[in-house]
Amino acid sequence: MCITKVGKVLSTSKGRAEVEFFGANDVGDVDVSVVGGVAEGAFVEVFGDLALSVLSRAEAKRRKAVWEEVRKAAMMPPPRRGAKA
Amino acid sequence: MPNSLGYCGPDDRGLILRHIEESKGGEDLASTLKGFEAAYPFLRLIARSTGKEVFDYAVPEAYWIGNALLDRVETPEFYRFSHHELVGKDPKEVRKLFKTVGGQARPHHTFYVMSTYATSSVADGPNLSDDGRKKVQGLIDNCRISWGEVQDVGKSKLTVRYQPVSVSDGRLTLSDPVVRKVSYNPEVRSFSNVSPGNWVTMHWDYACEVVSPRQVRNITRYTALDIEATNKILKAPPQRR
Protein backbone atom coordinates (compact mmCIF):
# COMPACT_ATOMS: atom_id res chain seq x y z
CA MET A 1 0.00 0.00 0.00
CA CYS A 2 1.05 3.56 -0.49
CA ILE A 3 2.14 5.70 2.40
CA THR A 4 1.83 9.46 2.69
CA LYS A 5 5.16 11.26 2.53
CA VAL A 6 6.09 14.91 2.89
CA GLY A 7 9.16 16.48 1.36
CA LYS A 8 10.93 19.40 -0.22
CA VAL A 9 11.14 19.91 -3.98
CA LEU A 10 14.76 19.90 -5.13
CA SER A 11 14.14 20.43 -8.83
CA THR A 12 11.29 20.33 -11.34
CA SER A 13 10.95 19.40 -14.97
CA LYS A 14 7.86 18.97 -17.16
CA GLY A 15 5.35 18.29 -14.40
CA ARG A 16 7.66 16.07 -12.38
CA ALA A 17 9.91 16.89 -9.43
CA GLU A 18 12.74 15.45 -7.43
CA VAL A 19 11.54 15.47 -3.84
CA GLU A 20 13.62 14.92 -0.71
CA PHE A 21 11.36 13.19 1.78
CA PHE A 22 11.33 14.03 5.46
CA GLY A 23 12.31 11.39 7.97
CA ALA A 24 14.20 9.29 5.43
CA ASN A 25 17.33 9.62 3.34
CA ASP A 26 15.19 9.26 0.30
CA VAL A 27 14.79 11.31 -2.86
CA GLY A 28 11.89 10.39 -5.14
CA ASP A 29 10.69 11.25 -8.62
CA VAL A 30 7.20 12.68 -8.14
CA ASP A 31 4.40 13.75 -10.49
CA VAL A 32 3.51 17.31 -9.43
CA SER A 33 1.27 18.11 -12.39
CA VAL A 34 -1.97 17.76 -10.42
CA VAL A 35 -1.07 20.34 -7.76
CA GLY A 36 0.43 22.75 -10.30
CA GLY A 37 2.76 25.70 -9.86
CA VAL A 38 5.34 23.85 -7.82
CA ALA A 39 8.81 25.38 -7.82
CA GLU A 40 12.14 24.42 -6.36
CA GLY A 41 12.04 24.81 -2.57
CA ALA A 42 8.28 24.14 -2.30
CA PHE A 43 6.95 21.52 0.09
CA VAL A 44 4.58 18.81 -1.05
CA GLU A 45 2.60 15.92 0.36
CA VAL A 46 2.93 12.83 -1.81
CA PHE A 47 0.87 9.66 -2.08
CA GLY A 48 2.25 6.92 -4.31
CA ASP A 49 4.15 8.97 -6.88
CA LEU A 50 1.58 11.77 -7.07
CA ALA A 51 1.79 15.06 -5.12
CA LEU A 52 -1.68 15.77 -3.72
CA SER A 53 -0.98 18.89 -1.61
CA VAL A 54 1.36 21.86 -1.60
CA LEU A 55 2.25 22.91 1.94
CA SER A 56 3.24 26.32 3.26
CA ARG A 57 6.69 26.62 4.83
CA ALA A 58 5.16 26.81 8.32
CA GLU A 59 2.95 23.80 7.65
CA ALA A 60 5.89 21.87 6.25
CA LYS A 61 7.96 22.68 9.34
CA ARG A 62 5.15 21.43 11.55
CA ARG A 63 4.72 18.29 9.46
CA LYS A 64 8.45 17.63 9.51
CA ALA A 65 8.41 17.73 13.30
CA VAL A 66 5.34 15.45 13.37
CA TRP A 67 6.96 13.07 10.92
CA GLU A 68 10.11 12.80 12.99
CA GLU A 69 8.15 12.38 16.21
CA VAL A 70 5.94 9.67 14.74
CA ARG A 71 8.94 7.88 13.30
CA LYS A 72 10.61 7.95 16.67
CA ALA A 73 7.43 6.63 18.28
CA ALA A 74 7.15 3.92 15.65
CA MET A 75 10.48 2.56 16.84
CA MET A 76 9.01 2.10 20.32
CA PRO A 77 6.49 -0.56 21.37
CA PRO A 78 2.86 0.65 21.09
CA PRO A 79 1.18 1.88 24.29
CA ARG A 80 -0.89 -0.79 26.00
CA ARG A 81 -4.64 -0.36 25.82
CA GLY A 82 -5.86 1.63 28.79
CA ALA A 83 -2.30 2.42 29.94
CA LYS A 84 -1.80 5.86 31.45
CA ALA A 85 0.33 8.28 29.47
CA MET B 1 4.70 -8.89 -7.30
CA PRO B 2 4.24 -7.47 -3.78
CA ASN B 3 5.52 -3.90 -3.42
CA SER B 4 6.94 -3.95 -6.95
CA LEU B 5 6.55 -0.17 -7.18
CA GLY B 6 8.33 0.42 -3.88
CA TYR B 7 5.53 2.65 -2.50
CA CYS B 8 4.57 0.34 0.33
CA GLY B 9 7.49 -0.86 2.41
CA PRO B 10 10.88 -2.58 2.45
CA ASP B 11 12.53 -3.51 -0.81
CA ASP B 12 12.33 -7.24 -0.12
CA ARG B 13 9.72 -8.27 -2.63
CA GLY B 14 11.57 -11.44 -3.71
CA LEU B 15 11.40 -12.84 -0.20
CA ILE B 16 7.70 -12.06 0.15
CA LEU B 17 6.91 -13.61 -3.21
CA ARG B 18 8.86 -16.76 -2.32
CA HIS B 19 6.80 -17.16 0.83
CA ILE B 20 3.56 -16.56 -1.06
CA GLU B 21 4.50 -19.17 -3.66
CA GLU B 22 5.29 -21.69 -0.95
CA SER B 23 2.30 -20.63 1.19
CA LYS B 24 4.69 -20.60 4.12
CA GLY B 25 5.28 -18.12 6.94
CA GLY B 26 8.47 -17.65 8.90
CA GLU B 27 10.41 -15.26 11.06
CA ASP B 28 12.17 -13.62 8.09
CA LEU B 29 8.80 -12.94 6.45
CA ALA B 30 7.28 -11.58 9.67
CA SER B 31 10.27 -9.30 10.11
CA THR B 32 9.96 -7.96 6.54
CA LEU B 33 6.23 -7.41 6.86
CA LYS B 34 6.76 -5.42 10.06
CA GLY B 35 8.72 -2.92 7.95
CA PHE B 36 5.59 -1.87 6.05
CA GLU B 37 5.14 1.52 7.68
CA ALA B 38 1.45 1.90 6.98
CA ALA B 39 0.14 -1.65 6.63
CA TYR B 40 1.78 -3.23 9.67
CA PRO B 41 0.57 -0.64 12.22
CA PHE B 42 -2.98 -1.16 10.93
CA LEU B 43 -2.67 -4.91 11.41
CA ARG B 44 -1.35 -4.30 14.92
CA LEU B 45 -4.33 -2.05 15.67
CA ILE B 46 -6.89 -4.59 14.42
CA ALA B 47 -5.17 -7.43 16.28
CA ARG B 48 -4.93 -5.47 19.52
CA SER B 49 -8.57 -4.38 19.35
CA THR B 50 -9.91 -7.86 18.63
CA GLY B 51 -7.60 -10.05 20.70
CA LYS B 52 -6.11 -11.74 17.62
CA GLU B 53 -2.53 -12.39 16.57
CA VAL B 54 -1.23 -9.86 14.03
CA PHE B 55 -0.74 -12.48 11.32
CA ASP B 56 -3.90 -14.44 12.05
CA TYR B 57 -5.46 -14.69 8.55
CA ALA B 58 -8.55 -12.77 9.66
CA VAL B 59 -6.48 -9.68 10.59
CA PRO B 60 -4.85 -8.87 7.23
CA GLU B 61 -8.08 -10.06 5.61
CA ALA B 62 -9.96 -7.38 7.59
CA TYR B 63 -7.51 -4.71 6.55
CA TRP B 64 -7.26 -5.59 2.85
CA ILE B 65 -10.65 -7.07 2.03
CA GLY B 66 -12.81 -6.24 5.03
CA ASN B 67 -14.57 -8.44 7.57
CA ALA B 68 -16.45 -8.12 10.87
CA LEU B 69 -13.22 -7.45 12.81
CA LEU B 70 -13.31 -3.90 11.43
CA ASP B 71 -16.53 -3.25 13.33
CA ARG B 72 -14.86 -4.29 16.58
CA VAL B 73 -12.19 -1.59 16.41
CA GLU B 74 -13.59 1.19 18.56
CA THR B 75 -13.48 4.69 17.13
CA PRO B 76 -11.53 6.24 20.06
CA GLU B 77 -8.91 3.50 19.68
CA PHE B 78 -8.65 4.15 15.92
CA TYR B 79 -8.42 7.89 16.61
CA ARG B 80 -5.60 7.40 19.14
CA PHE B 81 -3.83 5.08 16.75
CA SER B 82 -4.07 7.58 13.88
CA HIS B 83 -2.40 10.18 16.09
CA HIS B 84 0.32 8.12 17.67
CA GLU B 85 1.18 5.15 15.49
CA LEU B 86 0.47 6.01 11.88
CA VAL B 87 3.53 7.35 10.11
CA GLY B 88 2.93 10.36 7.91
CA LYS B 89 -0.56 11.36 8.99
CA ASP B 90 -0.94 14.94 10.13
CA PRO B 91 -2.75 15.25 13.51
CA LYS B 92 -4.71 18.25 12.21
CA GLU B 93 -6.03 16.21 9.28
CA VAL B 94 -6.79 13.28 11.57
CA ARG B 95 -8.86 15.49 13.90
CA LYS B 96 -10.83 16.92 10.99
CA LEU B 97 -11.40 13.52 9.45
CA PHE B 98 -12.78 11.99 12.65
CA LYS B 99 -14.86 15.09 13.35
CA THR B 100 -16.53 14.72 9.96
CA VAL B 101 -17.10 10.97 9.76
CA GLY B 102 -16.75 9.73 13.36
CA GLY B 103 -17.48 6.01 13.61
CA GLN B 104 -17.66 5.66 9.83
CA ALA B 105 -13.86 5.78 9.79
CA ARG B 106 -12.64 2.20 9.66
CA PRO B 107 -9.11 0.78 9.63
CA HIS B 108 -9.67 -0.53 6.10
CA HIS B 109 -7.03 -0.05 3.46
CA THR B 110 -9.49 1.42 0.96
CA PHE B 111 -10.62 4.03 3.47
CA TYR B 112 -7.00 4.99 4.11
CA VAL B 113 -6.47 5.54 0.37
CA MET B 114 -9.71 7.40 -0.27
CA SER B 115 -9.52 9.60 2.82
CA THR B 116 -5.94 10.56 1.98
CA TYR B 117 -7.26 12.02 -1.27
CA ALA B 118 -10.27 13.60 0.45
CA THR B 119 -8.13 15.49 2.96
CA SER B 120 -5.60 16.67 0.36
CA SER B 121 -5.51 20.14 -1.14
CA VAL B 122 -6.22 18.69 -4.58
CA ALA B 123 -9.69 17.75 -3.33
CA ASP B 124 -10.13 21.29 -1.95
CA GLY B 125 -8.82 23.07 -5.01
CA PRO B 126 -10.41 24.19 -8.25
CA ASN B 127 -11.71 21.60 -10.68
CA LEU B 128 -9.05 19.26 -11.90
CA SER B 129 -8.17 19.12 -15.56
CA ASP B 130 -9.28 15.94 -17.30
CA ASP B 131 -5.73 14.68 -17.23
CA GLY B 132 -5.37 15.49 -13.52
CA ARG B 133 -8.67 13.81 -12.68
CA LYS B 134 -7.58 10.67 -14.54
CA LYS B 135 -4.33 10.60 -12.58
CA VAL B 136 -6.11 10.97 -9.24
CA GLN B 137 -8.69 8.35 -10.23
CA GLY B 138 -5.93 6.01 -11.35
CA LEU B 139 -4.05 6.46 -8.09
CA ILE B 140 -7.12 5.74 -5.94
CA ASP B 141 -8.28 2.87 -8.12
CA ASN B 142 -4.88 1.18 -8.26
CA CYS B 143 -3.93 1.69 -4.64
CA ARG B 144 -7.23 0.53 -3.11
CA ILE B 145 -7.99 -3.20 -3.22
CA SER B 146 -10.40 -3.81 -6.09
CA TRP B 147 -12.14 -7.03 -7.04
CA GLY B 148 -13.48 -8.54 -10.22
CA GLU B 149 -14.69 -11.61 -12.01
CA VAL B 150 -12.19 -13.53 -14.14
CA GLN B 151 -13.23 -13.67 -17.79
CA ASP B 152 -10.18 -15.32 -19.26
CA VAL B 153 -7.00 -16.95 -17.98
CA GLY B 154 -3.74 -16.35 -19.87
CA LYS B 155 -0.20 -17.51 -19.15
CA SER B 156 0.67 -14.50 -17.01
CA LYS B 157 -2.41 -12.27 -17.32
CA LEU B 158 -5.98 -12.56 -16.18
CA THR B 159 -8.77 -10.75 -17.99
CA VAL B 160 -11.02 -9.39 -15.27
CA ARG B 161 -14.33 -7.53 -15.28
CA TYR B 162 -14.48 -5.02 -12.45
CA GLN B 163 -15.87 -1.63 -11.43
CA PRO B 164 -13.25 1.15 -11.34
CA VAL B 165 -13.45 4.09 -8.97
CA SER B 166 -14.45 7.32 -10.58
CA VAL B 167 -14.05 10.90 -9.35
CA SER B 168 -16.74 13.22 -10.64
CA ASP B 169 -18.48 16.31 -9.31
CA GLY B 170 -16.31 16.10 -6.21
CA ARG B 171 -17.58 12.63 -5.31
CA LEU B 172 -16.26 9.11 -5.53
CA THR B 173 -18.36 6.36 -7.11
CA LEU B 174 -17.88 2.95 -8.61
CA SER B 175 -18.36 3.21 -12.39
CA ASP B 176 -19.94 0.73 -14.72
CA PRO B 177 -17.95 -2.47 -15.13
CA VAL B 178 -15.00 -2.53 -17.52
CA VAL B 179 -12.65 -5.28 -18.60
CA ARG B 180 -8.94 -5.06 -17.85
CA LYS B 181 -5.91 -7.31 -17.88
CA VAL B 182 -3.88 -7.82 -14.73
CA SER B 183 -0.74 -9.82 -14.07
CA TYR B 184 -0.87 -12.88 -11.85
CA ASN B 185 1.59 -15.48 -10.71
CA PRO B 186 0.42 -19.00 -11.61
CA GLU B 187 2.98 -20.37 -9.13
CA VAL B 188 1.01 -18.89 -6.25
CA ARG B 189 -1.22 -21.59 -4.75
CA SER B 190 -4.33 -19.39 -4.78
CA PHE B 191 -4.16 -19.31 -8.60
CA SER B 192 -3.38 -22.98 -9.19
CA ASN B 193 -6.91 -23.70 -10.46
CA VAL B 194 -8.01 -20.20 -11.40
CA SER B 195 -10.69 -20.25 -14.07
CA PRO B 196 -13.30 -17.95 -15.63
CA GLY B 197 -16.05 -17.18 -13.15
CA ASN B 198 -13.66 -16.99 -10.16
CA TRP B 199 -13.38 -13.71 -8.32
CA VAL B 200 -10.01 -12.12 -7.56
CA THR B 201 -8.77 -9.10 -5.66
CA MET B 202 -6.36 -6.68 -7.34
CA HIS B 203 -3.77 -4.14 -6.24
CA TRP B 204 -2.10 -1.94 -8.86
CA ASP B 205 -1.64 -4.17 -11.90
CA TYR B 206 -1.59 -7.44 -10.02
CA ALA B 207 -4.17 -10.00 -9.03
CA CYS B 208 -3.62 -10.77 -5.33
CA GLU B 209 -5.65 -13.93 -4.75
CA VAL B 210 -8.80 -15.81 -5.65
CA VAL B 211 -11.50 -14.87 -3.16
CA SER B 212 -14.59 -16.63 -1.86
CA PRO B 213 -18.19 -15.41 -2.28
CA ARG B 214 -18.11 -14.37 1.41
CA GLN B 215 -15.03 -12.24 0.76
CA VAL B 216 -16.61 -10.68 -2.34
CA ARG B 217 -19.64 -9.72 -0.24
CA ASN B 218 -17.34 -8.22 2.40
CA ILE B 219 -15.16 -6.19 0.07
CA THR B 220 -18.27 -4.92 -1.72
CA ARG B 221 -19.87 -3.89 1.58
CA TYR B 222 -16.82 -2.27 3.18
CA THR B 223 -15.80 -0.45 -0.01
CA ALA B 224 -19.32 1.01 -0.25
CA LEU B 225 -19.04 2.18 3.38
CA ASP B 226 -15.60 3.68 2.66
CA ILE B 227 -16.96 5.57 -0.34
CA GLU B 228 -19.89 6.87 1.70
CA ALA B 229 -17.57 8.11 4.47
CA THR B 230 -15.11 9.64 2.00
CA ASN B 231 -17.90 11.49 0.20
CA LYS B 232 -18.91 12.98 3.54
CA ILE B 233 -15.38 14.36 3.91
CA LEU B 234 -15.43 15.65 0.34
CA LYS B 235 -18.80 17.30 0.91
CA ALA B 236 -17.65 19.08 4.07
CA PRO B 237 -16.58 22.71 3.58
CA PRO B 238 -12.79 22.96 3.03
CA GLN B 239 -12.22 24.62 6.39
CA ARG B 240 -13.59 21.49 8.06
CA ARG B 241 -11.19 19.24 6.18
Side-chain angles (χ1 to χ4, degrees), chain B residues 190-210:
Chain B
S190 180
F191 294 115
S192 56
N193 291 312
V194 64
S195 56
N198 285 161
W199 287 77
V200 293
T201 50
M202 297 169 285
H203 190 221
W204 290 93
D205 289 328
Y206 293 91
C208 307
E209 61 177 339
V210 174

Side-chain angles (χ1 to χ4, degrees), chain A residues 1-2 31 33 52-53 67 71, chain B residues 8 37 63 88 109 121 135:
Chain A
M1 66 177 284
C2 302
D31 183 336
S33 63
L52 288 179
S53 295
W67 183 269
R71 275 216 181 242
Chain B
C8 316
E37 289 169 325
Y63 180 59
H109 176 60
S121 56
K135 282 180 183 173

Side-chain angles (χ1 to χ4, degrees), chain B residues 65 108 110 141 144-150 160-165 174 199-203 211 215-224 227:
Chain B
I65 293 172
H108 191 220
T110 295
D141 195 48
R144 63 144 184 160
I145 305 298
S146 58
W147 68 100
E149 187 180 10
V150 175
V160 177
R161 189 168 181 267
Y162 89 115
Q163 287 184 277
V165 165
L174 289 181
W199 287 77
V200 293
T201 50
M202 297 169 285
H203 190 221
V211 284
Q215 291 174 314
V216 173
R217 280 196 301 278
N218 276 338
I219 195 167
T220 306
R221 171 171 182 253
Y222 286 101
T223 301
I227 290 176

